[in-house]
Amino acid sequence: MEPTTMMADLTLSDELQDVDLGDKRRNERYVRIAGRLAAQPD
């Protein structure tokens, strides 16, 4: 994983810590995907 992706994941983890999609794995996947999108918005 690239450093920019890791930083985006950490920042979004803080912002999205209260998300509840009904399953811990879904929550983690959501944060991971949002981090990737934030790191490469184009």
Side-chain angles (χ1 to χ4, degrees):
M1 186 178 294
E2 295 181 26
T4 54
T5 304
M6 286 178 25
M7 284 300 292
D9 283 347
L10 293 174
T11 303
L12 286 172
S13 292
D14 294 339
E15 294 292 325
L16 301 175
Q17 66 184 354
D18 295 330
V19 70
D20 184 11
L21 300 176
D23 188 299
K24 181 180 177 182
R25 295 169 296 179
R26 287 183 187 161
N27 298 344
E28 292 170 355
R29 189 177 319 133
Y30 176 73
V31 172
R32 194 169 51 245
I33 290 169
R36 290 178 181 162
L37 288 171
Q40 296 180 351
D42 55 330

